[in-house]
Amino acid sequence: MHNDIEKILVSEAEIDTICKEMGKQLSNDYKDSTPIFLGLLKGCVPFMAALTKHVTIYMEQLYMAVSSYHGGIKSSGDVKIKYDLEVSVKGRDIIIVEDIVDTGATLKTISALLYHRGAKSVKVATLLDKPAGRLVEFTADYVGKVIPKEFVVGFGLDYNELYRNLPYVGVLKPSVYQK
């Protein structure tokens, strides 16, 4: 599996530092609230776990399964909700926890949906931001690291459901997905 990686973009140590710093910032920013940390499955799981262990305030943890990647390496642009929230977000502060902001389409759609459902605020905390991949205008509120437009895997990010368990984020060799 490691042999399929062209280069490491974000090391395990760098991820730990990002999570500590972002967790401290979120704890400070929401010290007077009990926010909902909303993870978008499946890619968010490692980041959500690493980030929230550094959050020192009361918080709820919820998940949605949302996808615009239906296999392959490019977003389809068609956002599908596969598993929705089972609780009301009315009047609540929501922090969407995401592994990567790429096209922006999924996050723009989900943010609008949460506001439509009555959320008090909706912010996005992402491990990675790939602004060169944007198809819609979108800016994350908390960004771990800005990366170039390359196809990355690891630490929750996948290619055909593989590589999520890498402890770092790396660039997948093109030979792997051009077969």
Side-chain angles (χ1 to χ4, degrees):
M1 172 169 69
H2 297 280
N3 291 333
D4 294 345
I5 304 303
E6 190 172 279
K7 64 183 174 185
I8 294 175
L9 275 187
V10 189
S11 70
E12 190 172 0
E14 193 173 359
I15 291 169
D16 288 343
T17 299
I18 288 167
C19 291
K20 286 176 188 169
E21 290 173 1
M22 194 179 293
K24 184 177 178 181
Q25 183 66 50
L26 288 163
S27 297
N28 185 56
D29 290 355
Y30 289 90
K31 65 181 180 272
D32 298 324
S33 177
T34 302
I36 293 173
F37 279 60
L38 175 59
L40 301 183
L41 296 172
K42 301 175 192 168
C44 77
V45 172
F47 181 49
M48 176 81 100
L51 174 64
T52 57
K53 72 181 183 180
H54 298 289
V55 174
T56 59
I57 59 170
Y58 290 109
M59 55 159 281
E60 288 183 56
Q61 207 167 325
L62 301 174
Y63 296 91
M64 289 178 77
V66 180
S67 179
S68 64
Y69 288 80
H70 311 296
I73 63 168
K74 285 186 168 180
S75 171
S76 67
D78 179 25
V79 178
K80 294 193 183 312
I81 297 175
K82 298 175 178 182
Y83 173 75
D84 205 348
L85 293 172
E86 296 177 348
V87 300
S88 173
V89 297
K90 188 172 176 107
R92 301 293 304 274
D93 292 313
I94 311 293
I95 301 160
I96 299 174
V97 179
E98 183 65 303
D99 50 1
I100 189 168
V101 178
D102 190 357
T103 68
T106 298
L107 288 165
K108 189 169 187 171
T109 299
I110 297 305
S111 295
L113 175 65
L114 294 168
Y115 275 121
H116 175 75
R117 292 178 176 177
K120 177 180 172 186
S121 70
V122 179
K123 303 288 184 189
V124 173
T126 186
L127 176 63
L128 305 172
D129 188 12
K130 192 191 305 185
R134 290 293 191 283
L135 296 178
V136 299
E137 191 173 318
F138 189 85
T139 303
D141 304 280
Y142 302 90
V143 175
K145 183 170 183 170
V146 176
I147 63 167
K149 188 175 180 178
E150 297 187 89
F151 188 67
V152 293
V153 294
F155 205 72
L157 295 151
D158 76 298
Y159 170 65
N160 287 340
E161 297 298 328
L162 302 176
Y163 305 99
R164 292 187 196 276
N165 56 320
L166 290 172
Y168 54 81
V169 175
V171 176
L172 191 62
K173 290 179 181 174
S175 60
V176 174
Y177 55 84
Q178 291 176 345
K179 292 178 182 177

